[in-house]
Amino acid sequence: MSSLDYAQLPIAEKPLFVPPVEEVVDVLSRGLKANFATVEVSAAPCPDLTQAPFFLTSTGLTGNEKLVEIGGPPYLVPKVQRDKLYDLAQLLRHLQRDPAFLAGAGAGPWPHIGVNCEGIINLSLRNGTVDQGTRIVSVEPVGAPKGKSGYLQRQLPASETRTALLGNYLLSDGLPGQVIKVVAKNRTGEANFITSIRETLKKHYGDKVVGLGGTFVLLEGKVKHHVMPDFSARALCSDDDVDAWLHYFEMRAPITHVGTLVTGDMGLDLRVQHFHGFSQHGDGGHYHYDTTPAAAHYEGYFVLARSLVRVDQPKETHAVGRD
């Protein structure tokens, strides 16, 4: 099945508010203590993200940093729109980005394996050549009932650069440079790691919309992820319907996550936070929260985005399926 032509799709770009890095470090250092017993935030050189425990396709996160959102939940629910298939390598070429690093959370390319799946996007483009580190995770066996299923993680070949339906990505040159390092241990509050960061920034900056993208690793503990099964034959019209359809699993550290967050919608029908994770031991999916709060140990590296690129925003929207 062919992917959509970006020349025929609506693409908009809006600037984000970019506060000083040291100010963000101070804001997060104070705010995250509402949810974690141990918090360490600093402006630091980015480690080599191609190495363990990250295994990304670029060494860093910096260079012309933007957030990208493609499609959205309205293309998945209430009924799937299977034609919403996007080639991410072609998107980078359309945006004239080379070298480029694209990482984040989305739906995997269902035509590649014949069923719906999670996508953990991790792709670089250098001198026209794709370095594909993207993983997909699907429910196994296909059609297994909820509660009796497992899951299978696979890495996509370099020849498969499509995604489907929706996605939230950090786009940068993938260069080494200064990033915001966040270490948080022993969750004591209700909010998960990403929600804690987003709500802290929202409380401080108000209507000034801040966007972050990057990666974090759950180094210790366990985490709740969901994996989408194949597309639902019946309409999913509420969050309860979506919850009943999704398959949930408890997964174990270490798990590397990639994704984005924004503190406002900007009239672009945005998903305000979205992170997916993968691992070397086969665990992976859509991040919800750690299930062993006292043991939780997060280490994250993030960059402030300068703008947000909105691709193929749904004309008709709703608030279902955005957890």
Side-chain angles (χ1 to χ4, degrees):
M1 187 172 182
S2 61
S3 56
L4 296 170
D5 180 359
Y6 290 108
Q8 304 300 317
L9 297 179
I11 300 179
E13 184 169 356
K14 286 190 176 182
L16 292 162
F17 178 65
V18 186
V21 169
E22 293 295 345
E23 180 179 284
V24 174
V25 167
D26 180 64
V27 169
L28 293 178
S29 294
R30 290 182 284 108
L32 295 186
K33 291 177 182 177
N35 280 288
F36 291 91
T38 300
V39 174
E40 300 171 10
V41 186
S42 60
C46 190
D48 184 349
L49 298 178
T50 64
Q51 302 301 306
F54 302 99
F55 302 104
L56 301 184
T57 58
S58 282
T59 56
L61 301 173
T62 66
N64 196 14
E65 306 92 348
K66 300 183 179 185
L67 302 186
V68 178
E69 178 157 352
I70 293 181
Y75 295 156
L76 174 63
V77 295
K79 296 288 286 185
V80 65
Q81 298 183 35
R82 293 175 185 263
D83 63 311
K84 295 298 183 179
L85 198 63
Y86 310 94
D87 188 314
L88 295 177
Q90 289 300 326
L91 175 65
L92 297 178
R93 296 182 179 107
H94 183 80
L95 297 175
Q96 298 182 319
R97 296 294 298 263
D98 185 349
F101 173 55
L102 193 73
W110 63 265
H112 181 71
I113 58 172
V115 295
N116 188 28
C117 54
E118 303 289 342
I120 305 95
I121 308 305
N122 170 23
L123 179 151
S124 292
L125 183 68
R126 299 181 187 88
N127 297 317
T129 300
V130 170
D131 184 0
Q132 177 63 288
T134 295
R135 272 75 165 180
I136 58 174
V137 184
S138 57
V139 167
E140 293 288 331
V142 175
K146 186 172 182 174
K148 296 184 178 180
S149 64
Y151 49 88
L152 177 64
Q153 176 184 280
R154 288 168 268 199
Q155 183 167 336
L156 293 180
S159 59
E160 178 58 270
T161 55
R162 294 174 297 176
T163 191
L165 306 171
L166 55 89
N168 299 85
Y169 316 117
L170 169 68
L171 169 60
S172 77
D173 294 338
L175 300 175
Q178 187 184 68
V179 296
I180 299 169
K181 179 181 179 180
V182 182
V183 176
K185 303 177 185 178
N186 185 3
R187 182 169 61 84
T188 56
E190 292 297 319
N192 70 29
F193 181 58
I194 294 301
T195 300
S196 298
I197 294 174
R198 182 177 58 80
E199 290 183 344
T200 295
L201 294 174
K202 174 65 175 177
K203 181 178 180 180
H204 185 82
Y205 292 107
D207 292 336
K208 297 176 180 177
V209 180
V210 176
L212 286 183
T215 181
F216 73 87
V217 179
L218 179 72
L219 291 169
E220 296 179 33
K222 296 181 179 180
V223 65
K224 179 181 179 180
H225 278 194
H226 80 235
V227 177
M228 293 186 293
D230 203 6
F231 301 121
S232 176
R234 68 179 187 87
L236 303 175
C237 299
S238 68
D239 282 332
D240 286 343
D241 288 346
V242 173
D243 184 66
W245 170 67
L246 293 171
H247 290 219
Y248 293 95
F249 303 95
E250 185 178 62
M251 302 187 183
R252 58 189 173 88
I255 301 180
T256 300
H257 299 78
V258 286
T260 68
L261 66 89
V262 289
T263 62
D265 180 81
M266 299 195 296
L268 295 175
D269 191 26
L270 302 178
R271 195 166 188 169
V272 294
Q273 63 185 59
H274 196 190
F275 277 76
H276 284 183
F278 69 95
S279 70
Q280 300 305 297
H281 53 272
D283 285 356
H286 174 109
Y287 170 75
H288 284 271
Y289 53 82
D290 56 82
T291 57
T292 53
H297 179 181
Y298 293 94
E299 182 175 313
Y301 297 89
F302 305 96
V303 289
L304 292 161
R306 302 180 181 280
S307 64
L308 189 142
V309 179
R310 189 66 171 97
V311 180
D312 199 20
Q313 178 179 341
K315 293 179 180 179
E316 297 181 6
T317 191
H318 53 67
V320 177
R322 295 178 185 249
D323 187 8

